[in-house]
Amino acid sequence: MGFTEKQEGLVKESWEVLKQDIPHSSLRFFSLILEIAPGAKNMFSFLRESEEIPQNNPKLKAHAVKVFKMTCESAIQLREKGEVVVADTTLKYLGTVHVKSGVKDPHFEVVKEALLRTIEEAIGEEKWNEEMKNAWGEAYDQLAEAIKAEMKNHH
Ligand code: HEM
């Protein structure tokens, strides 16, 4: 079954909530990434430099927002076109950046888990449900697949 209008709506709706407090969501997202995979700390330039997760770091925020936003855009594309299409130049850049930083395929599962938990917390238990989780999960998986495939061309 393809990605439905309802699924797209669920993703968009929760992104609107997440967007209201990017500094908090970004920080929470990275705290969860490190909670799940402490070893990931050394891959991120802005985490390597300090003991604590830096508050209000523009690079940290940029990465979090890219993941949130690109997943949201993927949801829209999945509904409109039935597939995720990342602009060629962007995809090449993403492939290079991640290979250079030492990112491996399993890290994408860590980031997925952190992403879903960040959204769950932002939305609140009452509104968060399986359907919303699956919609974000599917949009993220397809985006991650595109990046992982590109990473294979940059080793
Ligand atoms: C850098 C996006 C998944 C680790 C970047 C950059 C983008 C990006 C756009 C370039 C820097 C920027 O413009 O902010 C994404 C997206 C992902 C994803 C859309 C998933 C859908 C991951 C995963 C990891 C990771 C799974 C590893 C846990 C990194 C690192 C950098 C980076 C280490 C370099 C950042 C630095 O040191 O400044 N990513 N990323 N990313 N990404 Fe990702």
Side-chain angles (χ1 to χ4, degrees):
M1 204 190 72
F3 206 77
T4 64
E5 222 166 291
K6 177 153 188 225
Q7 285 177 300
E8 181 192 2
L10 287 168
V11 172
K12 279 183 176 168
E13 187 189 299
S14 36
W15 164 235
E16 287 303 317
V17 176
L18 203 64
K19 207 159 80 174
Q20 284 164 20
D21 195 350
I22 292 293
H24 173 82
S25 304
S26 311
L27 209 60
R28 192 64 194 129
F29 178 56
F30 270 93
S31 309
L32 286 165
I33 291 175
L34 296 191
E35 197 177 301
I36 303 166
K41 188 174 191 285
N42 290 328
M43 291 189 303
F44 292 94
S45 56
F46 47 87
L47 296 181
R48 265 198 305 269
E49 292 153 6
S50 62
E51 283 292 311
E52 309 251 301
I53 300 179
Q55 307 261 340
N56 255 317
N57 179 292
K59 281 189 173 179
L60 181 147
K61 253 188 281 188
H63 192 274
V65 170
K66 281 280 182 197
V67 174
F68 301 154
K69 245 193 187 157
M70 286 188 75
T71 305
C72 196
E73 281 159 12
S74 294
I76 297 167
Q77 291 177 348
L78 276 175
R79 209 269 304 156
E80 282 177 355
K81 306 180 193 155
E83 63 177 329
V84 170
V85 186
V86 186
D88 214 32
T89 45
T90 309
L91 198 55
K92 284 212 168 68
Y93 170 62
L94 289 175
T96 313
V97 159
H98 291 104
V99 168
K100 268 212 299 210
S101 306
V103 178
K104 302 279 184 274
D105 283 8
H107 290 126
F108 283 86
E109 278 305 306
V110 173
V111 166
K112 179 184 181 182
E113 184 65 35
L115 171 72
L116 295 178
R117 281 168 61 187
T118 302
I119 303 160
E120 176 175 6
E121 289 178 11
I123 298 302
E125 252 173 58
E126 270 154 47
K127 290 191 100 181
W128 177 250
N129 56 43
E130 271 309 284
E131 248 186 318
M132 208 177 251
K133 180 179 172 177
N134 292 336
W136 275 97
E138 196 176 326
Y140 175 87
D141 282 344
Q142 302 233 13
L143 173 61
E145 283 312 314
I147 300 173
K148 286 191 278 185
E150 184 63 27
M151 284 167 68
K152 309 245 175 327
N153 300 325
H154 293 261
H155 45 71

